[in-house]
Amino acid sequence: WIMSAGNGFPLTGHDRIHALLTDTAEFLESLEEQVLTLMNTGSNLDRVLHEVEIPQRLLDKPYLRPVYDHPQFILRNIWRLYGGWY
């Protein structure tokens, strides 16, 4: 098994690739769930940006550390996806 991502070195090994993909999915699902929970309680975007927390266990993974963008970029995109562009 070999996985070539857009940035960084290729990964090899089924277990390593599976862990990376599973952790990434969990990371994104956690953000989406938190944003939707706050949106459904009537929270505004500012509150979402300040209250959503990335699980530290995932943030400690070298491949999930914010390098190119801030996690708030993802939160804003989730907000736009479910809240509209207006």
Side-chain angles (χ1 to χ4, degrees):
W1 295 85
I2 298 174
M3 182 177 132
S4 180
N7 297 309
F9 298 104
L11 292 172
T12 58
H14 177 270
D15 293 340
R16 289 180 68 198
I17 293 169
H18 183 267
L20 179 136
L21 294 174
T22 302
D23 289 342
T24 302
E26 183 181 343
F27 173 88
L28 294 172
E29 288 171 354
S30 172
L31 296 182
E32 182 179 44
E33 180 181 310
Q34 291 179 71
V35 170
L36 288 175
T37 297
L38 287 166
M39 288 178 81
N40 286 329
T41 62
S43 298
N44 61 24
L45 178 59
D46 188 56
R47 182 173 172 201
V48 168
L49 295 175
H50 287 91
E51 291 189 15
V52 170
E53 295 182 4
I54 300 169
Q56 191 62 46
R57 176 186 79 72
L58 295 173
L59 198 55
D60 289 340
K61 305 281 184 176
Y63 47 84
L64 290 177
R65 290 187 191 132
V67 176
Y68 298 104
D69 287 316
H70 195 277
Q72 286 187 359
F73 181 78
I74 299 169
L75 300 179
R76 289 176 186 276
N77 281 330
I78 295 169
W79 179 274
R80 278 192 287 273
L81 175 64
Y82 292 103
W85 58 269
Y86 43 88

